[in-house]
Amino acid sequence: MGFKPEEILFMPTADCNLLCPHCNVKRSKGALSAGLAKKFMLDCKSHGIKRIGFTGGEPFSFAPDFLFSVTEFAAKNGILFNTIMTNAVWFKDICELNRTLQRLFDARYDGSICISVDAYHKQSLKKVALFIKEACSIWRRPDIVSIAYVTGRDRVTKKKLQRLAGLLKARLSGFGGTHPVIRSTGNNNSRAPLKVPYHIKIAKIDLSPVGRALRLKNPWDGRWFKEDYCKGPGNVFLVEPSGDVKPCCGYANELKELTIGNIKKDGLPKLMKNIRQNEIICDIFDLGLQRLRERLRSRGIKFPGKTGNNCFFCHYILTKVPREALLR
């Protein structure tokens, strides 16, 4: 089977302090239980999965106790960290920011913190810069922070990143290439070097025009995507606030068709069994979306055009194509 989970991605909350035009996360006030998350982590660790990450919603604002508790438990049990996704503007003042980041550091978090900065996120760049300064100071790591931007309005995004770099007395380089970065240039007002230099890697995420984001971009862009067997957003256990588990953190993950169980009642062996019994999920990871597309075309399914976005195509076939056409 092609699905080989390598990480647990906890989504302890779907609530957020921002309302971005491209976001399709359904808001809810529920929160994931830290106790259930810990039990699931140990189950996964016993089967060789030893890495976790956090997303949302905004976990720092609406699930901080979950972050601290699960982080401390993971560190004590030899579980590795990947990243925490944040908008970096959830705090009221520098005292709250410092207190929260210090607690996370004291819980022995040693992964990265990824900030979403692009044309769609309407946040204060001054607060983002303050977040970066505090994080680098507390961890004393120039690379503790990274940035992810959603493509689609790249000129606006580039200008925002240039302004952010200016606030950090740093420089943006390589935007649009393979290795964009914001890197310290030194303190222009002093001959003394910066105490903690910045080396902020930047990654791009394709805008997937589904749901509310459908009005932002025509998804049928005239080219077919390259097959990757969901190596990007797939091969994770995404655990939602309800405890539902998805084998994907892409833009189709909110669909019930991708639910493989719930950690309130299902351990890892049952989740893997559920995947093996789900023809559609197996075909996505084993057969691949390209061959699945050809199968659908051979059965008379016509598409509005070609799309280069894997996640959009997955969402499309799961919501627009009759289920019987998807089955073998």
Side-chain angles (χ1 to χ4, degrees):
M1 188 179 64
F3 178 67
K4 298 177 181 178
E6 300 173 350
E7 178 184 354
I8 311 166
L9 186 58
F10 288 116
M11 182 182 179
T13 177
D15 213 346
C16 186
N17 56 305
L18 298 182
L19 186 61
C20 302
H22 71 298
C23 181
N24 290 293
V25 176
K26 295 180 180 179
R27 302 297 176 93
S28 67
K29 296 296 182 181
L32 183 63
S33 161
L36 284 173
K38 294 172 185 178
K39 181 179 178 181
F40 184 60
M41 276 195 295
L42 291 182
D43 190 15
C44 288
K45 182 187 175 184
S46 67
H47 290 82
I49 304 171
K50 300 180 180 180
R51 188 172 63 186
I52 66 170
F54 304 93
T55 187
E58 177 48 64
F60 277 108
S61 182
F62 294 93
D65 290 336
F66 180 97
L67 278 183
F68 306 143
S69 178
V70 171
T71 293
E72 186 174 25
F73 182 84
K76 287 181 179 178
N77 286 276
I79 296 172
L80 307 176
F81 299 105
N82 186 3
T83 192
I84 300 174
M85 293 298 300
T86 181
N87 58 48
V89 294
W90 45 265
F91 55 95
K92 295 179 182 179
D93 52 41
I94 191 172
C95 291
E96 181 186 11
L97 172 62
N98 183 275
R99 182 172 61 250
T100 303
L101 293 182
Q102 187 64 53
R103 282 192 64 184
L104 186 65
F105 176 81
D106 292 341
R108 295 166 58 193
Y109 182 79
D110 63 358
S112 65
I113 303 174
C114 185
I115 305 174
S116 298
V117 181
D118 51 48
Y120 306 102
H121 286 79
K122 307 300 181 183
Q123 73 250 76
S124 163
L125 292 181
K126 289 184 178 179
K127 291 189 78 172
V128 174
L130 183 57
F131 182 100
I132 293 172
K133 291 175 182 177
E134 286 297 302
C136 288
S137 176
I138 290 172
W139 272 269
R140 299 201 64 77
R141 277 177 48 192
D143 63 342
I144 182 65
V145 170
S146 63
I147 288 175
Y149 73 93
V150 175
T151 61
R153 297 176 61 194
D154 290 7
R155 289 185 179 180
V156 177
T157 296
K158 183 178 181 180
K159 290 180 179 179
K160 287 188 70 173
L161 292 175
Q162 286 173 332
R163 293 200 301 271
L164 177 61
L167 291 170
L168 295 169
K169 293 184 174 59
R171 179 177 297 168
L172 170 68
S173 62
F175 185 84
T178 55
H179 300 291
V181 66
I182 291 177
R183 185 183 292 112
S184 297
T185 58
N187 190 334
N188 294 331
N189 298 320
S190 172
R191 294 183 179 180
L194 294 174
K195 291 183 178 180
V196 181
Y198 305 119
H199 188 90
I200 304 168
K201 295 180 180 179
I202 302 170
K204 65 180 180 180
I205 301 171
D206 287 336
L207 171 66
S208 195
V210 301
R212 293 172 64 241
L214 191 58
R215 59 192 168 80
L216 299 174
K217 181 182 178 182
N218 177 15
W220 304 101
D221 52 16
R223 60 186 177 90
W224 280 121
F225 53 83
K226 294 181 179 180
E227 184 61 78
D228 68 352
Y229 297 92
C230 290
K231 289 182 180 179
N235 291 314
V236 300
F237 283 129
L238 173 67
V239 184
E240 298 182 331
S242 64
D244 281 351
V245 183
K246 309 295 179 76
C248 160
C249 64
Y251 288 95
N253 69 67
E254 82 276 8
L255 300 178
K256 63 180 182 180
E257 289 82 359
L258 291 180
T259 301
I260 58 173
N262 189 295
I263 65 171
K264 293 178 182 178
K265 58 183 179 63
D266 300 319
L268 188 142
K270 181 66 184 315
L271 295 177
M272 297 301 291
K273 180 180 179 180
N274 290 345
I275 287 181
R276 289 192 293 270
Q277 294 175 344
N278 188 311
E279 287 186 18
I280 297 174
I281 293 178
C282 283
D283 281 348
I284 290 172
F285 286 97
D286 294 347
L287 191 67
L289 288 172
Q290 283 186 349
R291 290 175 64 188
L292 189 55
R293 181 186 77 219
E294 293 304 316
R295 177 200 290 174
L296 293 172
R297 291 177 68 176
S298 71
R299 294 178 177 179
I301 301 298
K302 296 182 179 180
F303 303 110
K306 298 178 180 180
T307 179
N309 193 302
N310 309 52
C311 284
F312 170 76
F313 183 76
C314 182
H315 188 278
Y316 181 86
I317 64 174
L318 291 176
T319 57
K320 303 298 184 183
V321 173
R323 183 176 178 83
E324 56 269 22
L326 288 167
L327 299 178
R328 300 167 198 167

